[in-house]
Amino acid sequence: AARRAFPDLTWYDADVPFPLRAAARYGVFPLARCEIECEGDRLLAVRPLDSPWDLDPEPPPLRALHLEPDSDPAHRDPRCLHVTSFDYGRKTRALPLRLRSGQGSGQAPHGVFEIPLAMETQAEARRLLVSLRVVITRVDPDLIVIPWGDTWVLPRLLDLSEKWGLPLPLNRDPDRAVERRKELSCHAYGQIVYRGQQIHLSGRWHIDPRNAMLYGEYGLEGAFETARLTGLGLQDAARKSPGAGISAMQLVTALRSGILIPHEKQQAETPKSALDLIHADRGGMVYPPITGLHRHVAEIDFVSMYPALMVHHNISPEVSAAERADRPFGSASSAQGKTSGLVPRTLAPLLAKRVALKGRLLGMPAWHPDRLKFKARATAQKWLLVTCFGYLGYKNARFGRIEAHEAVTAGGREALLDAKEAAEDAGYRALHLYVDGLWVQRDGLEKPAEMDGLLDEIAHRTGLPIALEGIYDWIAFLPSRVDARLAVPNRYFGRFQSGEIKMRGIAARRRDTPPYVKESQLELIRGLPADPDRLGECLPELVDRLGERIAGLRAGRAPLEELVVAQRLSKVLAAYRVPSPAARAAAQLEAAGKYSQPGMRVRFVYTRGEPGVWAWDLPGELPRARVDPGRYIELLLRAAAEALWPFGIPEATVRNWLCGGADHLAAPGVVPQLDAVKGWLWGA
């Protein structure tokens, strides 16, 4: 209303959330331990007793309650709710859900698949709601974790409660209503992302792991860390993107520094000529890998390269190039001096905490009980730091400017080239450079301590923190499937000396690979020996296992749930000129009254004949006879060939071994003769 009344005014500090104002004013943050001074109901002062930058904060004494339907509501009608409380030990009970059968009708509310939760009588509704009320009242949870809580459980329970007039004490504050936020589809990093509706509680926290953006990456411990660092409430921190977290941190820094916060972005891009754009807008450095299998390879990574560049070189939207001139790229002294920009001031403590936490993790054995907790925190910090670079050039970021974004990429290119030159001066061969990491090889390289001299030299030349990711027993860089002469920068897999497998860009890492194929490729890669010269000893057994898995597909023994493919819808169905498999599956769901939105992942199984897919979330069961085993065998053969190609075994040979040609399955137990295999072995 104020903007409409005064359209010519420029607004500042107009929409900063109250929790962020409190964080800036009092130094408090979610999960902080505080000392409070009050007089009756009046708060006089609040003082935090800890800091968001503490490496090992004391865990919060939260009472937790876990509710979960016994099946995925989008796929099958749940029959009960499993309720687990942690008040006096772990206790679980099942509350039955009596569901009416039948199809959903029309557009599902909030964009979720319509699965009605309709108790047939008031008595049935009363039993369910009273049971939940008793549990919530007795436990009085601070935190309620409910898979599908945003999109199914709580909306149905709230509707049921309203229908029968039996309220649930979800909020601690009875005067406030449960907050519902609408679903949305938005563009992010070149793709459409879907976020389901949200249910926020007052006086308690509700988290839906199925509707939280990065919960699968770092879990509850990472969500706690994100809330502590950003100042966002836990319900927001768990659901929002890391970009929203970085934005919140910048707002707090601005408030503490007395910097006015624009209501909308006001910094336009400086006009550039075409030649200027060619020189400036170039992105990160990528040196295509040398394809094939390599031994004695070390992977070296800059620790949060882009955030480190922003901090050490004072890169911020309001800092001009002239002001950064005293910190030239490639200077060992570039990290010295006072950081003055808003973005560096925001990132400096976060970067220091991540470096310290990574150092602690490096010295922590795999069996240590705190390792998973520390790793989750480090992952949450990583995502915030990764996002801060993209947010610096985001068109709507209030503290973003494309020139600052370009300065960061320019510094990254310089640093990576300096690292490559240092490696070559030390007698290493650079196999691959990728934005903030490099893979180097030297004959006889075996021990991590041998890399200390090179790491020190790179840190000296660049002024940036650098770390050894590990030394590989072997690593394979794969070519393009379209043209084998072309290298693909981010398509490789390798075995570290610890036995850990690292993979990028192969079938086992793709989200649209069915679990059956993914596990087949993982089993094959894990079975490859540490010494490639000994491949002949284990290859017959590996090929035999692959043959058994193909036989399982042909005989219909593969579990249907392991054949499910999940693909993202990139647009509304009407916009598809040639429907993709996901679009065809979404059309089937639409005909059944289950509507999908752009950005949602649609699940389906490949079938014989038209339309070639069966939407996994259709009512009823998929007849086993309709599954197309040939499509899955083809995917499995490609995945197997992808893993064996670096060892000198072409795809045609893999197909002959496994299928007796392209169309016939070899009998179980038939494996290639070792004499034939040896001709293809790496190094033979």
Side-chain angles (χ1 to χ4, degrees):
R3 291 189 64 191
R4 289 194 297 270
F6 303 98
D8 296 330
L9 291 181
T10 301
W11 297 88
Y12 294 92
D13 292 358
D15 61 342
V16 180
F18 176 77
L20 299 185
R21 290 185 182 275
R25 173 66 178 83
Y26 301 107
V28 296
F29 51 91
L31 300 169
R33 295 176 181 273
C34 301
E35 182 181 85
I36 294 176
E37 183 181 345
C38 60
E39 186 178 283
D41 294 336
R42 184 184 177 192
L43 179 64
L44 300 180
V46 56
R47 289 176 289 273
L49 301 178
D50 52 10
S51 165
W53 315 117
D54 293 339
L55 281 186
D56 193 11
E58 189 174 343
L62 299 176
R63 292 188 297 272
L65 184 67
H66 189 277
L67 307 179
E68 185 170 6
D70 64 340
S71 63
D72 181 348
H75 178 59
R76 183 180 296 111
D77 292 355
R79 294 173 297 177
C80 66
L81 275 179
H82 292 294
V83 182
T84 305
S85 60
F86 301 88
D87 51 345
Y88 301 106
R90 186 184 182 99
K91 301 177 182 178
T92 302
R93 60 181 297 192
L95 301 181
L97 300 175
R98 187 169 180 179
L99 301 174
R100 288 177 182 169
S101 60
Q103 305 293 329
S105 57
Q107 171 66 43
H110 314 295
V112 298
F113 293 148
E114 174 66 18
I115 302 177
L117 173 61
M119 310 303 288
E120 294 182 354
T121 67
Q122 185 177 11
E124 292 172 355
R126 183 177 180 83
R127 279 195 296 270
L128 173 64
L129 296 175
V130 168
S131 297
L132 283 173
R133 184 182 183 91
V134 168
V135 171
I136 295 173
T137 302
R138 188 193 75 232
V139 178
D140 189 21
D142 305 294
L143 171 67
I144 305 178
V145 180
I146 313 177
W148 299 286
D150 282 337
T151 55
W152 195 86
V153 176
L154 287 185
R156 271 56 180 183
L157 290 175
L158 289 169
D159 292 345
L160 193 65
S161 174
E162 183 178 355
K163 176 181 178 181
W164 296 109
L166 297 169
L168 284 173
L170 293 173
N171 284 344
R172 276 202 176 112
D173 185 350
D175 297 328
R176 297 191 62 179
V178 171
E179 181 184 357
R180 300 195 189 203
R181 299 183 185 180
K182 294 182 179 180
E183 60 166 352
L184 61 88
S185 294
C186 60
H187 285 271
Y189 297 97
Q191 62 182 358
I192 292 185
V193 176
Y194 171 79
R195 188 181 302 160
Q197 73 150 331
Q198 300 177 18
I199 303 292
H200 288 241
L201 305 182
S202 176
R204 309 186 202 275
W205 286 329
H206 164 235
I207 292 181
D208 178 357
R210 300 281 179 167
N211 197 37
M213 180 160 286
L214 291 170
Y215 197 89
E217 291 269 349
Y218 48 55
L220 187 59
E221 193 65 47
F224 285 163
E225 179 72 3
T226 302
R228 291 174 63 91
L229 295 174
T230 63
L232 295 171
L234 183 66
Q235 296 182 102
D236 283 321
R239 292 174 173 87
K240 288 188 174 181
S241 69
I246 281 293
S247 177
M249 295 176 70
Q250 291 176 353
L251 294 181
V252 172
T253 302
L255 289 171
R256 289 174 176 168
S257 305
I259 298 174
L260 292 176
I261 301 170
H263 177 63
E264 295 176 342
K265 182 175 181 178
Q266 299 174 2
Q267 297 169 312
E269 181 176 356
T270 303
K272 298 182 180 70
S273 67
L275 185 60
D276 290 337
L277 283 173
I278 290 174
H279 287 301
D281 192 14
R282 295 171 57 192
M285 169 69 67
V286 176
Y287 183 99
I290 300 174
T291 57
L293 193 70
H294 305 275
R295 289 195 281 185
H296 310 298
V297 175
E299 180 180 348
I300 303 171
D301 286 330
F302 285 94
V303 179
S304 301
M305 172 194 269
Y306 284 171
L309 284 166
M310 297 180 212
V311 171
H312 296 324
H313 298 285
N314 196 27
I315 300 175
S316 196
E318 77 281 9
V319 179
S320 67
E323 293 176 275
R324 298 196 307 267
D326 63 332
R327 305 184 191 185
F329 293 128
S331 169
S333 61
S334 59
Q336 304 299 320
K338 182 180 178 181
T339 298
S340 57
L342 182 142
V343 170
R345 283 205 303 276
T346 302
L347 296 179
L350 176 58
L351 180 62
K353 183 175 184 179
R354 173 160 169 77
V355 171
L357 198 59
K358 284 202 71 173
R360 184 172 292 190
L361 274 170
L362 286 174
M364 189 176 288
W367 52 262
H368 198 285
D370 289 336
R371 183 173 178 81
L372 291 179
K373 177 176 67 176
F374 275 68
K375 195 168 184 179
R377 292 176 187 163
T379 303
Q381 297 161 14
K382 178 196 77 173
W383 278 109
L384 289 170
L385 289 167
V386 165
T387 308
C388 71
F389 163 69
Y391 205 74
L392 194 62
Y394 177 44
K395 63 180 180 179
N396 294 326
R398 285 186 271 197
F399 296 107
R401 192 181 182 105
I402 194 63
E403 287 82 3
H405 187 273
E406 292 167 348
V408 174
T409 58
R413 294 192 297 271
E414 290 289 337
L416 202 58
L417 285 175
D418 287 343
K420 174 179 178 291
E421 292 171 0
E424 291 174 339
D425 291 345
Y428 292 85
R429 177 192 184 198
L431 297 177
H432 183 28
L433 310 180
Y434 192 78
V435 183
D436 63 348
L438 64 160
W439 289 256
V440 296
Q441 180 188 49
R442 192 185 70 190
D443 290 343
L445 179 63
E446 297 288 348
K447 299 179 179 179
E450 299 176 42
M451 301 294 300
D452 290 347
L454 176 58
L455 296 178
D456 291 341
E457 179 63 21
I458 293 175
H460 174 72
R461 294 193 187 189
T462 64
L464 299 177
I466 191 83
L468 175 67
E469 184 74 9
I471 296 178
Y472 291 92
D473 290 325
W474 48 261
I475 185 171
F477 296 108
L478 302 176
S480 167
R481 286 190 60 87
V482 177
D483 188 341
R485 297 172 298 176
L486 300 178
V488 179
N490 208 25
R491 187 165 177 250
Y492 63 88
F493 65 95
R495 177 191 175 100
F496 283 114
Q497 290 178 334
S498 63
E500 178 187 354
I501 302 295
K502 184 171 183 178
M503 305 170 291
R504 295 290 185 271
I506 63 175
R509 283 277 297 188
R510 291 178 58 90
R511 292 187 177 182
D512 60 352
T513 301
Y516 193 88
V517 175
K518 181 179 297 188
E519 186 54 40
S520 298
Q521 189 182 57
L522 282 173
E523 184 179 5
L524 173 58
I525 292 175
R526 289 168 182 155
L528 294 170
D531 182 0
D533 292 331
R534 304 186 64 179
L535 178 63
E537 299 175 13
C538 61
L539 189 57
E541 181 182 354
L542 293 176
V543 174
D544 198 29
R545 290 181 191 169
L546 288 172
E548 292 174 359
R549 293 186 73 87
I550 290 179
L553 286 170
R554 188 77 76 179
R557 294 193 300 269
L560 287 177
E561 58 270 16
E562 293 188 16
L563 303 181
V564 176
V565 179
Q567 292 182 357
R568 193 193 302 270
L569 283 179
S570 59
K571 47 194 170 184
V572 297
L573 292 182
Y576 282 92
R577 298 180 63 182
V578 179
S580 65
R584 297 199 298 271
Q588 295 174 357
L589 293 171
E590 182 176 309
K594 298 182 177 183
Y595 287 79
S596 51
Q597 300 290 335
M600 290 182 68
R601 289 193 177 274
V602 178
R603 302 180 293 182
F604 59 86
V605 175
Y606 288 111
T607 57
R608 305 175 192 265
E610 294 295 333
V613 297
W614 173 286
W616 181 246
D617 296 320
L618 282 174
E621 297 294 331
L622 167 63
R624 168 68 71 168
R626 292 197 57 185
V627 176
D628 183 4
R631 187 69 178 263
Y632 291 97
I633 290 173
E634 177 63 23
L635 293 175
L636 196 152
L637 288 173
R638 290 182 185 178
E642 190 175 47
L644 292 175
W645 175 87
F647 294 85
I649 305 174
E651 184 171 335
T653 301
V654 175
R655 290 178 178 273
N656 285 332
W657 287 350
L658 294 173
C659 292
D663 303 317
H664 302 289
L665 177 68
V670 175
V671 296
Q673 298 297 317
L674 281 179
D675 290 342
V677 173
K678 289 178 181 178
W680 300 105
L681 292 182
W682 179 89

